[in-house]
Amino acid sequence: MNDIKTGSTAMILVPVCIAQFMAPFMLTAVGVALPSLGRDFQASAVQLGLVEQLYALSLAMTMLTFGRLGDIVGRRKVFLCGLAVFTALTFSLGFTQSIEMTMIQRFFQGIGAAMFLAGSLALVADAYPPEHRGRKIGIVSACTYAGLSMGPVIGGYVTSHFSWRSVFLMSAPLGLSATATCFWGMKETAQESSSERMDWQGSLAYGISVGLIMLGAAHIREVPLGPSIIAAGLMGLAFFLHMESRLESPLLDVSLLWGNRFFTMSCLAAMGNYAATFGITFLMSLYLQYAKGFSPRKAGLVLLVQPVMQVIASPVAGRLSDRFEPAKLATVGMLTSFTGLILAAVTINADTPLWILSLELILIGTGFGIFITPNSTAIMGSVERRRFGVASGMIGAMRTLGMAVSLTTVALVFSLFMGEAIITQTTLPVFLSSLRVGLAAFAVFCCLGVLLSISRGRHRLTDKNAL
């Protein structure tokens, strides 16, 4: 049992759950507070966008690096350092005096988040035996979606009644509690890759490549600049994989991708699922406010249906994945999301009843919740313990790349159908057409994810995995 080596498993699960809640909470809660922050600092729209983008960018660039670093120097060390950096910057952001300092601190806050997120699932997988791993990963996943869904609600309330600074200041004690629990209650895991060297050149190549892809996605409407930047990022990733295949201690063991079909297909299925679902909230928010005439608050309440179903479904799916084949459960989840997306693409128009829209969001959210926990469990169970950090980092990397694909798809669809036109009653029919095309594209991503999920086959845990 891993419990003996890592101390009390509760002392692992508690800080991991807090960390998984804080990172997405800081993304969505700050997003709601941005207008108030912008008025105080007289910031431009571009600067406000960078406050969010730099946080997400640093997460994407460093996730795989810190996952690998945890395997070498110890996952608890990297996790604890990440909590300390994140908490310190969260507190500091409550006192920042300029938009420029806010952007800089948000970038490094994202690095802190990447440090603890990269190894979170590795810590859980290492602490619990395979027969209990799914339900624990389900709890962790539920905390992630709770942070995503509660961020806009709590962030909006706190900003309205106090100030945007309170969004950061109220989060710092949560970070302190996680840091204290980790420092005093969590023991270091076995460092089975301690003899290997860290591939910093590969980390740099990977970070720059992913950064270019994210930057290009943000400027996809600027032709040829945006597509050119994305192409450069993809070429960089190809160079990165070539470079890693020649190293003895690579950042990413390429043989894991080529030699472990189950692992590779599971990771690609995760990217397809995120690509299919991440842009839903943005599209539906526009639909509810422009086509239905809802206020932002009412639209937000309707959109809560999806993440709430994810919070409910994730722990249930985790328990089921301990009893049934996780890959098959993940496929069922993605098929459920696919059903919701297809229904939305076919039925959405200006007169669509709210109950139909809510049912579609329920299907999408439930499917996502059913998919993500078994799929993550399957990924962690398909590699040796010494590679848990890399596997955990890959899950985060696939999530980020899937999100980038989703947002890029939305931008492309609107660019092709609407150009620079503003959404008004006159352009509403064109907007609805582009909305349906976007939902159909998401359904295609989901369908590809289903095919990838089915094609991975079945994986049985070896004794080495179970130790």
Side-chain angles (χ1 to χ4, degrees), residues 3 5-15 76 80 177-188:
D3 308 39
K5 291 182 286 187
T6 54
S8 170
T9 51
M11 293 296 102
I12 294 173
L13 192 61
V14 169
R76 175 187 175 274
L80 181 59
S177 65
T179 305
T181 305
C182 179
F183 184 79
W184 279 292
M186 186 188 297
K187 296 181 181 179
E188 186 57 85

Side-chain angles (χ1 to χ4, degrees), residues 21 25 28-29 145-156 304 307:
F21 175 88
F25 179 85
T28 56
Y145 305 135
L148 282 170
S149 58
M150 292 174 67
V153 178
I154 297 176
L304 272 177

Side-chain angles (χ1 to χ4, degrees), residues 18-36:
I18 295 174
Q20 288 283 338
F21 175 88
M22 286 193 305
F25 179 85
M26 272 290 101
L27 183 66
T28 56
V30 173
V32 176
L34 282 179
S36 178

Side-chain angles (χ1 to χ4, degrees), residues 363-432:
L363 285 171
I364 295 169
T366 302
F368 189 92
I370 293 173
F371 167 83
I372 202 63
T373 299
N375 195 69
S376 298
T377 303
I379 290 174
M380 298 306 299
S382 67
V383 299
E384 299 172 350
R385 287 183 61 245
R386 67 186 182 88
R387 289 172 166 173
F388 276 174
V390 171
S392 181
M394 277 294 289
I395 291 173
M398 293 299 102
R399 177 172 58 241
T400 304
L401 290 174
M403 290 175 178
V405 170
S406 191
L407 294 179
T408 302
T409 300
V410 171
L412 274 174
V413 168
F414 280 141
S415 179
L416 290 172
F417 279 77
M418 299 195 67
E420 299 297 324
I422 299 172
I423 304 174
T424 63
Q425 286 300 314
T426 304
T427 61
L428 187 59
V430 180
F431 165 72
L432 290 172

Side-chain angles (χ1 to χ4, degrees), residues 73-91:
V73 305
R75 297 176 192 124
R76 175 187 175 274
K77 291 178 184 176
V78 177
F79 184 83
L80 181 59
C81 288
L83 282 173
V85 170
F86 183 88
T87 302
L89 284 163
T90 300
F91 184 74

